[in-house]
Structure formats: C-alpha cells, structure tokens
Amino acid sequence: MTLLSADTVVCDAERAVSDGAVVVEDDRIAAVGDREELLDAYPDHEQVTCDVLAPGLVGAHIHSVQSLGRGIADDEELLDWLFDHVLPMEADMDAAEMRAAADLGYLELVESGTTTAIDHLSVAHADQAFEAAGDAGVRALMGKVLMDKDSPDGLQEDTDAALAETERLIQRYDGARGGRIRYAVTPRFAVSCTEACLRGCRELADEYGVRVHTHASENRGEIEAVEADTGYRNVHWLDEVGLTGEDVVLAHCVWTDETEREVLAETGTHVTHCPSSNMKLASGVAPIRDYLDRGVNVALGNDGPPCNNTLDAFTEMRQASLLGKVEELDPTALPARTVFEMATRNGATAAGFDDVGELREGWRADVVGLSTDNARSTPIHDPYSHLAFAAHGDDVTLTMVDGEVLYRDGEHVRMDAESVRERAREFAARL
Ligand code: GUN
Ligand code: FE
C-alpha cells in the first residue's frame, strides 16, 4: 500500500493534477487526486514523493535483442543496415548473448521509464528474451521472429518449423508472469516471409487469441520488393493474407498510399510510429497526422538500439512532434498532448492492455516518477510540454509496474545493473 505524491500528477492526455497523489493498493490504482485529501484518507500508506508522476510509457515497437548492436551501422539505409549488419549479428548470437542483449534492453527501458514494450525478438533463442522480460518485471507483448524466405543462413527457417516453434512459445509464455507477458506472432516483414508463413501467422493468432506484430512499409526498397514479388502494395498484401485488423500492430507504415491508409483505418489496424528510426535510416516521414485524422490508433516506438540508438521513450515523443510539425509545415500538427497520448494510452491499446496507459482508479499501477531538479526542467509552465520536449529518461526516479517498484532513485530493484552492462560489453566485443 503506497501513496505516491508529486507537484504534478499527469493522469492522461486531458487531466493533470497539481499537488496530487496516486494511491496504489496491490497491483491497482485505488485513487488519484489531491495530495492533502489523499494523505488524510490513507494516513498509513507508505509515502513516496516525486516531482512529476505520469503513466509508465509504452514502447510499442522495440528490439531488445538488438541491444548489443548499438552503434554498429549508423549511416546505412534500411535494407543494407539489416542484411549487411543486423541480420548477420542476430544469426551469430547464441543463447547467452541473446539473454545478455535482452537484459540490457530491459535494463534501459526500466531506468528510462518504459513500463510496457512490444518487443520484436529474433528467430532463435526467444525463450531467453521471454525470461529476461519476465525477470525484469516489465509488461510486454513479444514474439519470436519468423523468417522463411530469402533470409541469411542461420535465420532462414522451414515454414512449418517456424510456425511450430511459435505455437510452442505461445503455449509457454502467453499470459506468463501474472499476465505481464503476452505473446504476439511476429513475422519479420513481408520481404522475409512466404505467403504460407503469413497465413499461418493469422491462423495461430486466431486459434490462440494473440496479437500479430510486424514491420510494414518502412522503406521504398522494401515496398518495391514486396510489390515485385506479390503484385500487391505492402499493406494490401498483408490485408490479403489476413494480417490487418484490431489485433495487428504494424511498425512504421511510412510508404502507404491513399488506398492502403483506408485499409488501415477500416480494419482498425494499429500503427507504431518510430520517428528516430525513420530519420536515422533515412526511411522517410510517416503520415501520422493523416492516420490520426482517419481514426487510426498510432503508438510510438524506439525501434532497435542499432537504429536509434536509445530506448528512451521521452526522446520519441519529442521526435514525433518535431517531425510532424516539419512534415505538415504546421506547428499544431502533433502537439505535446497528442504525442504523450501516443506514448501512453495508444501504445497500451495497440498492445491490447486495456487498463494500462492512464493513471486512473481501478487501472493497473504502472507509474513513472520524474525529478525536475535540473536546469532543463525549470520552469515548467505546462506538464505535457515538459514531458514531450524537455524531459529525458535520465530524469526518471521511480518505475512501477503492477504496483511493484522496479527502479527507484537510481537503483534497480530486480536487476544488477553493473553486471548486466558488464556482460553486454563482454559479448558485444565478440560480435
Ligand atoms: N524490417 C525488418 N526487420 C527490421 C528490423 O530489425 N528493424 C527495422 N527497423 N526494420 C526491419
Ligand atoms: Fe523494427
């Protein structure tokens, strides 16, 4: 039983309370409101004070297992970056390296205020990342990557084997760790997957009631390859094989035409915008204002450490807003509150966690606390402006998932940060 209090409690994109508090009982939020009133009502709760409290951030597209490749290919476009650098790295990684990479990814997420992630793993050793996420205590929707076409040695799999391994992992991990871990079927992207594989992904998602998460229309070379192969534009192809809908989350969607955007909106497909990755890989600018105007649910993601190079979700809010303003030549295109909502509630909606992403009575107690004890955080005229444009993951002083403190005042509760970093450095040197 904890009473968290702060100068500002940002509950959701509409409501922020000055001198507020959040009462946490077990894994839920029991009350949100005025600090003095809640102190009177819950005098025996342990008190924790922060400067700002907000919902834990949702990283709706990351690759924890790419963490050892931070900085390996900073100046490449997607397909060279992927086929010449990132896929060879993934193909070469053994189980211990996969675990070390995932641990590093989750360490970074926890200490920078991300409480929920949608994590696209690799082909092999997915168990390592499921255990890493589970041990880290984060909420995650994650899956083993399927690649059964035109893929490098070490990653290319037989279609049936890829689907069978996916089914084994669904049975083992969907709903694990008290429900914090959920499974998503994660074909890599249409370039690397046969039609049979993509249709098989839909069948598994239907059979087990799990989500599908893949990359789509990130880069022009990618959509040209898909069209040459299938005769369809990428989103139409995914729609054709059953991979659109309310249980599908597509990362990127930079290069979509009018008809594809209609499909996204009509089918209720979720989009994860990854602005830093899209800029760094020179992929292009996703039409986010247009998606939102059509009613598409758009979340935010950092993508992998080799194309960002951080998992700090605060950075992504900033990049999303600035890029949207430039794209539309309109300073109101993606304001602070909008990107805040994308980084919290919209991400939870995409991931299928219905009571996550806002500080609301009865909802899950996934909370971050920030310090404002630095020049960059002074003054704060508007808490949304602060969170979107000035705050950094470094400011985080409290990370809580399901009412459990995972990080507080620079200390990880579950993870040994020094040994995670040490192992990551050791393994990265070999790769
Ligand atoms: N498309 C297919 N795989 C990947 C990946 O690992 N990262 C990014 N950014 N795009 C991809
Ligand atoms: Fe990605």
Side-chain angles (χ1 to χ4, degrees):
M1 312 300 167
T2 310
L3 190 145
L4 309 172
S5 70
D7 301 336
T8 309
V9 176
V10 179
C11 304
D12 57 42
E14 257 83 61
R15 179 174 178 228
V17 183
S18 300
D19 290 317
V22 178
V23 178
V24 176
E25 296 192 335
D26 302 321
D27 56 353
R28 301 277 166 177
I29 295 169
V32 183
D34 179 75
R35 179 176 1 214
E36 292 308 320
E37 280 173 25
L38 290 174
L39 279 170
D40 283 346
Y42 299 89
D44 299 329
H45 281 39
E46 183 202 348
Q47 289 181 36
V48 173
T49 309
C50 300
D51 294 333
V52 175
L53 286 167
L57 300 178
V58 180
H61 176 68
I62 66 150
H63 301 259
S64 66
V65 300
Q66 292 177 3
S67 294
L68 302 186
R70 194 190 316 275
I72 56 169
D74 284 333
D75 306 309
E76 303 270 11
E77 65 88 46
L78 174 72
L79 296 176
D80 295 337
W81 173 90
L82 192 62
F83 284 93
D84 296 346
H85 302 277
V86 171
L87 296 182
M89 174 186 77
E90 287 186 17
D92 193 37
M93 287 168 73
D94 65 19
E97 289 157 346
M98 214 58 94
R99 173 73 200 225
D103 281 338
L104 182 66
Y106 285 105
L107 187 78
E108 186 180 0
L109 292 175
V110 167
E111 68 190 27
S112 60
T114 292
T115 52
T116 298
I118 303 182
D119 194 0
H120 207 88
L121 304 176
S122 187
V123 171
H125 311 304
D127 292 88
Q128 299 296 324
F130 277 95
E131 297 301 338
D135 291 349
V138 296
R139 197 178 298 290
L141 177 77
M142 52 203 296
K144 163 228 168 9
V145 163
L146 296 94
M147 300 177 76
D148 70 333
K149 190 175 98 181
D150 299 339
S151 303
D153 287 349
L155 293 176
Q156 169 95 22
E157 278 189 308
D158 182 63
T159 310
D160 291 341
L163 292 167
E165 172 69 351
T166 298
E167 187 165 22
R168 177 187 76 81
L169 290 162
I170 294 172
Q171 290 170 346
R172 172 139 194 198
Y173 292 110
D174 185 45
R177 310 282 185 146
R180 286 190 206 176
I181 303 293
R182 289 195 193 159
Y183 201 90
V185 181
T186 48
R188 182 141 220 146
F189 62 162
V191 174
S192 303
C193 297
T194 63
E195 177 174 355
C197 175
L198 297 173
R199 290 191 187 275
C201 287
R202 165 45 71 201
E203 282 172 20
L204 283 173
D206 284 346
E207 183 176 347
Y208 289 95
V210 297
R211 277 171 141 66
V212 175
H213 177 48
T214 190
H215 297 94
S217 307
E218 176 177 1
N219 163 289
R220 279 181 296 183
E222 170 201 357
I223 61 168
E224 282 160 14
V226 173
E227 192 160 358
D229 236 37
T230 67
Y232 287 86
R233 286 187 64 89
N234 197 6
V235 171
H236 289 301
W237 176 240
L238 293 175
D239 191 46
E240 171 68 23
V241 298
L243 298 188
T244 51
E246 287 170 14
D247 60 355
V248 177
V249 186
L250 300 181
H252 305 297
C253 297
V254 174
W255 296 98
T256 52
D257 71 11
E258 175 71 23
T259 62
E260 292 175 288
R261 296 177 196 184
E262 277 169 18
V263 168
L264 294 174
E266 278 165 15
T267 56
T269 305
H270 309 269
V271 170
T272 300
H273 180 36
C274 303
S276 297
S277 167
N278 295 162
M279 287 190 266
K280 191 157 181 284
L281 294 168
S283 295
V285 188
I288 300 306
R289 185 65 258 167
D290 184 58
Y291 289 149
L292 293 172
D293 290 343
R294 293 171 189 265
V296 175
N297 180 54
V298 183
L300 285 183
N302 287 65
D303 214 343
C307 62
N308 186 305
N309 296 2
T310 89
L311 296 177
D312 180 339
F314 291 91
T315 311
E316 236 44 40
M317 285 194 270
R318 176 183 168 90
Q319 303 285 46
S321 179
L322 302 192
L323 189 58
K325 290 169 188 280
V326 173
E327 167 72 351
E328 303 291 334
L329 292 179
D330 174 0
T332 70
L334 294 179
R337 282 175 196 254
T338 303
V339 295
F340 170 80
E341 191 165 35
M342 290 163 67
T344 52
R345 182 71 202 124
N346 292 6
T349 299
F353 293 108
D354 295 333
D355 49 4
V356 170
E358 296 180 10
L359 300 183
R360 197 198 283 199
E361 198 181 309
W363 282 29
R364 299 261 168 201
D366 290 7
V367 189
V368 293
L370 291 87
S371 165
T372 57
D373 198 10
N374 56 52
R376 181 165 39 71
S377 305
T378 310
I380 297 177
H381 290 294
D382 173 343
Y384 298 97
S385 170
H386 173 64
L387 292 175
F389 298 125
H392 285 180
D394 274 359
D395 302 339
V396 169
T397 54
L398 173 77
T399 304
M400 174 182 275
V401 175
D402 271 346
E404 180 193 348
V405 174
L406 300 180
Y407 178 78
R408 187 164 166 198
D409 296 330
E411 299 292 331
H412 285 267
V413 176
R414 287 195 182 205
M415 281 184 276
D416 177 347
E418 181 45 46
S419 86
V420 169
R421 291 195 303 258
E422 185 50 39
R423 251 182 317 125
R425 277 191 291 265
E426 236 172 71
F427 286 136
R430 188 192 77 80
L431 293 170

